[in-house]
Amino acid sequence: MTDHSAVSPVASGLHTTGHHDLSPPLAGTILHGVTVRPPALHYDGIDWRSAQLHHIDTTAALQVPGVTLVVVRGNFIGIIASQLTQARHASAQLTVQWETPAAPQDTTMNGKALIADKPGANAVAQTYQWSPSACSSAAWAIARHESSGLTVWADTRYPDRLRAEIAALCALPLDAIRLLPTGTTGAEAYDAAVDAALMAAECKRAVKVVDDAPFAPTPLALPCRPTAHPPAQTAPSPRLQKR
């Protein structure tokens, strides 16, 4: 459950804006966005890897009534439309070709061997696979473009990290990102917030993104290989790989 008390004025950016309108935009003024993600996301013990966008044809998608824009940035594809059903229909009209990267050949991490190489070492490799946990409600976020930056309505356990990531991806200063809670419980809206922010920054309008069952992420797989001296390192964020 999201702890709204953790979203402090400093973390949300409220202290820098002087803006007292905390309500989300009216429904009639909001566009709706749908994200098309790479078919798989894989962590190989060193880095996050995903299929790379090779070719996209947006002609048919742009002809769907209500569609205003198709955003393509690296591996990120976002469809913006007047209605959510229109955006979803347009996403099915895209012609997208992905290239799956070759498996990494390097077996070192920062110059250190990943596989235990001492004689007699009991090295056993395992692969763990899991699916994202189901939420009691769909995660959603709204991002609104303003002359001073972006205002984002989203519930997340990581407000500081979310603001920093949106600022980096949208090439904006940190104090130009304002984060406000929505009151939704039981759902983590981090991904929806970043997707909405990217699309709002492109179309200069308010955009809502909903993460629900039809567009849930695929299971992740993590190969675990023993090391003689495991490095004290956490997994890097997959966000830039996805974008």
Side-chain angles (χ1 to χ4, degrees):
M1 181 178 294
T2 303
D3 180 6
H4 298 304
S5 64
V7 183
S8 66
V10 173
S12 66
L14 290 175
H15 68 298
T16 64
T17 63
H19 199 298
H20 299 288
D21 180 14
L22 306 183
S23 302
L26 297 176
T29 67
I30 296 175
L31 297 175
H32 296 266
V34 166
T35 303
V36 177
R37 303 194 187 281
L41 181 63
H42 178 76
Y43 183 64
D44 63 9
I46 302 175
D47 199 2
W48 290 95
R49 299 178 182 274
S50 71
Q52 303 295 302
L53 181 60
H54 175 66
H55 172 75
I56 181 171
D57 185 347
T58 63
T59 304
L62 289 171
Q63 293 176 351
V64 174
V67 172
T68 61
L69 185 65
V70 176
V71 179
V72 181
R73 284 190 53 188
N75 287 336
F76 177 82
I77 305 172
I79 301 95
I80 306 171
S82 299
Q83 301 294 330
L84 179 58
T85 54
Q86 295 168 332
R88 286 179 172 171
H89 177 60
S91 69
Q93 307 307 308
L94 290 172
T95 300
V96 184
Q97 296 178 3
W98 300 95
E99 284 187 346
T100 303
Q105 299 300 316
D106 185 15
T107 59
T108 64
M109 179 183 290
N110 298 329
K112 297 181 179 179
L114 287 174
I115 306 298
D117 54 4
K118 289 185 177 181
N122 295 323
V124 179
Q126 297 287 341
T127 297
Y128 299 90
Q129 185 168 346
W130 69 98
S131 298
S133 300
C135 293
S136 58
S137 59
W140 62 272
I142 297 174
R144 181 176 65 193
H145 179 269
E146 302 163 340
S147 59
S148 59
L150 286 169
T151 298
V152 181
W153 287 264
D155 288 307
T156 178
R157 297 185 297 274
Y158 316 102
D160 294 328
R161 189 188 307 173
L162 176 58
R163 288 185 65 228
E165 185 162 346
I166 291 174
L169 290 171
C170 296
L172 291 171
L174 184 60
D175 60 8
I177 309 300
R178 185 170 65 143
L179 180 61
L180 301 172
T182 68
T184 303
T185 59
E188 172 58 57
Y190 192 108
D191 283 347
V194 176
D195 293 344
L198 284 169
M199 287 187 258
E202 291 290 334
C203 72
K204 312 303 182 186
R205 294 276 303 278
V207 177
K208 181 176 182 178
V209 172
V210 178
D211 276 347
D212 56 8
F215 296 91
T218 55
L220 303 179
L222 173 62
C224 180
R225 291 169 288 185
T227 64
H229 303 284
Q233 177 172 323
T234 58
S237 170
R239 178 67 56 183
L240 295 181
Q241 296 292 332
K242 294 167 64 177
R243 308 286 165 201

